[in-house]
Amino acid sequence: MLRRNSRRAAFGLVSLALIAVPTGLSLAQATADAPPATAAAAGSSMRVSLPFEKFVLPNGLEVILHEDHRTPVVAVNVWYHVGSKDEGPGRNGFAHLFEHVMFQGSRNVGEDQFFRYLERAGASDRNGTTNTDRTNYYETVPSGELGLALWLESDRMGYLLDHANDETFKSQREVVKNERRQNYENAPYGLVRQFIRGTLFPKTHPYHRLTIGTPQDLDAATFDDVRDFFKRYYVPNNATLVIAGDFQPAKAKELVTRYFAGLPRGADPKPVRGPVPSPLTKETRLDVEAGVTLPRLVISWTTPPHFVSGDAELDMVSDVLASGKSSRLYKRLVYDMQIAQSVSAAQESAELGSVFEITVTLQKDKNLDEVFKVVDEELDKLRAAPPAAEELDRARTRTLSGLVFSAERVTGRADLLNMYNRRVGDPGFFEKDLARYQKVTAGDVTKALATYLPKDKRVVTFVRPVADAPRAGRLVGGTP
């Protein structure tokens, strides 16, 4: 069975290689005419990599270059190593709010001009995002506009406070509060995630809070907080700049030196790197009423951090359970019993600790207890016996192809380089990331489920439709 899996994996990688080569990934293959056992090993040793060059400016700014000359575009991607886990007491939501302020202008870039510069230059991707662990900013521009993208990023890294003021800050605070109202407070099931997060992680843990923040904390923030946050975290020695795509290294280095080398190094920001959350000690049930039509069941566990042992295996567990119409939970709940409208499972990997979550949205008027029982039956089956070879093959192929496709465009590749650099200290970890999934066995899947997804240590959330309840949900039982 193992040999069969390996050979299928090898074939899968050959197929992926044919996809990967045009994307600018570097690929090499071991001996093709080997006997079966060796061929399987050859498949495992196939190399798919992201070539890069890394250096550090005297002010501490990390710079990573990745060349790809097949398309005349270049991606600029900056990670500031600060996220919502780094917010101080009473300032929940500030990291995300600060991200908004960064687009409003700096010393040489006028109010609301940042995107206009990029639009005039023909930028294809441009935005910023904040999560628990980091804040990123990115733009992909025609090759000849690399200097413009670097100038824009350097001006706000060095001189944001020469432009930002209390009026700008307050206007963006209202934008963020409106975003929260739209996506959380007025959205169906919108506050369920907040209830679960508050139960999974203790109040003292940085992941106890959602990145979007609370209206109370957002209102309490002041422009002095903007100054302090910028001076503490938005310094060259707390950032990594990736340039990926069609550029000449010598010219790129000249531009990086011109725009970034003169920015002063800051004090060591000391972003939060721990603690890893303590495992749950019991099962906690949350009862939520919501003004929705369909009941929903959510089962959540705290699981190992990104790239730690167990993380890749849990990705495979999620695939076997709920990816595709032949997956176990989908087939039984949606297709066979027709009591659920949708089902999903995911290992949400993060820096300090991850969350594994199964979500089932039921058909109208179907019974939550019945669905809960069926989910537990399927989990018990996978705890007791490994998945079939075909299930593992599908999971592995989907995961590997997903990784390769995420690196297809230079915009995604630049962010991958930044992520690997931060999480494992190696921008070229792509090949090792593929290997994590190649080596997962059927036994590993069963062991991961039994180890990290116990029945007696989890958070189980029942969302019941109630006509006069808020669409986002209200907690009526349990302790978040």
Side-chain angles (χ1 to χ4, degrees):
M1 184 169 66
L2 290 175
R3 187 175 68 178
R4 183 185 180 196
N5 280 345
S6 297
R7 294 183 68 180
R8 288 190 174 194
F11 177 78
L13 273 179
V14 171
S15 301
L16 291 170
L18 296 175
I19 298 169
V21 169
T23 69
L25 303 178
S26 173
L27 184 147
Q29 185 174 355
T31 306
D33 297 327
T38 307
S44 297
S45 64
M46 184 174 290
R47 304 192 61 186
V48 184
S49 61
L50 284 176
F52 70 93
E53 177 185 356
K54 178 180 175 180
F55 58 95
V56 182
L57 296 183
N59 60 14
L61 177 68
E62 293 181 306
V63 182
I64 298 168
L65 305 180
H66 166 74
E67 288 182 71
D68 174 6
H69 296 285
R70 287 168 300 102
T71 306
V73 296
V74 60
V76 171
N77 183 296
V78 181
W79 272 38
Y80 291 93
H81 307 303
V82 57
S84 58
K85 67 176 172 53
D86 302 293
E87 295 161 347
R91 292 295 181 269
N92 183 204
F94 194 78
H96 175 229
L97 170 57
F98 192 88
E99 173 213 314
H100 279 247
V101 175
M102 283 283 280
F103 286 101
Q104 294 310 113
S106 48
R107 175 189 287 179
N108 299 297
V109 180
E111 184 77 14
D112 285 331
Q113 293 300 306
F114 190 94
F115 283 127
R116 293 184 185 179
Y117 274 108
L118 291 173
E119 288 164 1
R120 286 196 292 266
S124 54
D125 294 305
R126 57 228 184 256
N127 214 333
T129 66
T130 307
N131 64 26
T132 53
D133 303 323
R134 62 96 184 102
T135 307
N136 73 351
Y137 301 89
Y138 56 88
E139 46 273 331
T140 297
V141 295
S143 305
E145 300 292 347
L146 174 60
L148 170 68
L150 293 175
W151 171 71
L152 287 167
E153 291 295 349
S154 73
D155 204 61
R156 60 182 177 180
M157 181 184 288
Y159 311 110
L160 180 81
L161 295 182
D162 289 4
H163 174 85
N165 55 33
D166 195 53
E167 182 180 354
T168 297
F169 166 69
K170 288 179 178 176
S171 71
Q172 291 309 303
R173 180 167 61 189
E174 292 308 308
V175 171
V176 171
K177 287 167 64 179
N178 188 56
E179 186 177 329
R180 178 185 163 89
R181 284 191 287 270
Q182 182 175 348
N183 297 329
Y184 293 83
E185 296 169 4
N186 296 326
Y189 313 100
L191 291 178
V192 173
R193 186 176 177 81
Q194 178 174 302
F195 303 147
I196 294 173
R197 183 58 62 122
T199 308
L200 284 171
F201 298 100
K203 287 184 178 179
T204 54
H205 195 281
Y207 288 174
H208 180 79
R209 309 174 294 264
L210 291 183
T211 299
I212 190 65
T214 64
Q216 297 79 9
D217 282 4
L218 290 169
D219 282 336
T222 68
F223 188 65
D224 284 342
D225 294 321
V226 172
R227 292 194 186 92
D228 293 343
F229 199 84
F230 179 79
K231 291 176 180 177
R232 183 174 183 182
Y233 292 114
Y234 278 68
V235 290
N237 46 308
N238 195 43
T240 305
L241 165 68
V242 171
I243 301 173
D246 182 32
F247 63 89
Q248 296 302 320
K251 181 62 176 177
K253 291 176 183 177
E254 176 194 331
L255 291 170
V256 168
T257 300
R258 181 191 305 171
Y259 293 124
F260 291 92
L263 303 181
R265 184 187 184 93
D268 182 2
K270 297 179 180 176
V272 175
R273 302 304 298 267
V276 173
S278 301
L280 297 171
T281 57
K282 62 179 181 179
E283 178 179 287
T284 300
R285 176 165 166 170
L286 302 180
D287 290 304
V288 177
E289 294 178 346
V292 296
T293 304
L294 305 178
R296 177 173 287 183
L297 170 70
V298 186
I299 309 175
S300 314
W301 294 262
T302 54
T303 51
H306 204 180
F307 297 112
V308 170
S309 176
D311 176 58
E313 290 83 353
L314 287 168
D315 273 333
M316 305 292 263
V317 170
S318 71
D319 193 286
V320 170
L321 289 174
S323 288
K325 295 183 178 179
S326 60
S327 62
R328 295 186 178 200
L329 290 177
Y330 185 94
K331 183 175 184 305
R332 189 157 175 205
L333 292 168
V334 179
Y335 186 78
D336 291 342
M337 300 180 72
Q338 299 188 15
I339 57 176
Q341 177 168 290
S342 65
V343 57
S344 65
Q347 161 76 348
E348 300 172 4
S349 303
E351 194 171 300
L352 305 183
S354 308
V355 173
F356 189 97
E357 203 154 82
I358 297 171
T359 303
V360 184
T361 302
L362 281 63
Q363 294 280 12
K364 188 176 181 181
D365 298 328
K366 296 300 179 182
N367 188 287
L368 276 162
D369 292 315
E370 180 184 14
V371 168
F372 185 31
K373 179 173 178 289
V374 170
V375 171
D376 260 347
E377 288 173 356
E378 292 302 324
L379 292 175
D380 283 340
K381 289 178 186 175
L382 200 51
R383 286 189 186 98
E390 292 77 10
E391 291 180 289
L392 189 64
D393 282 347
R394 284 195 296 269
R396 197 195 317 277
T397 300
R398 265 194 291 258
T399 302
L400 294 174
S401 60
L403 269 172
V404 170
F405 286 131
S406 72
E408 187 176 21
R409 300 176 62 183
V410 290
T411 302
R413 232 176 296 157
D415 207 55
L416 272 179
L417 286 158
N418 239 330
M419 187 264 289
Y420 290 139
N421 180 64
R422 180 60 177 176
R423 295 276 169 87
V424 297
D426 176 11
F429 193 76
F430 188 80
E431 184 181 352
K432 296 176 183 175
D433 201 8
L434 293 175
R436 289 199 306 150
Y437 297 99
Q438 285 177 261
K439 70 180 184 182
V440 173
T441 67
D444 293 335
V445 172
T446 293
K447 182 180 177 183
L449 196 155
T451 304
Y452 301 113
L453 310 181
K455 290 176 76 170
D456 59 344
K457 297 169 185 173
R458 58 186 179 183
V459 176
V460 182
T461 306
F462 284 56
V463 184
R464 302 180 190 279
V466 174
D468 63 351
R471 288 160 54 114
R474 65 186 176 205
L475 189 66
V476 295
T479 306

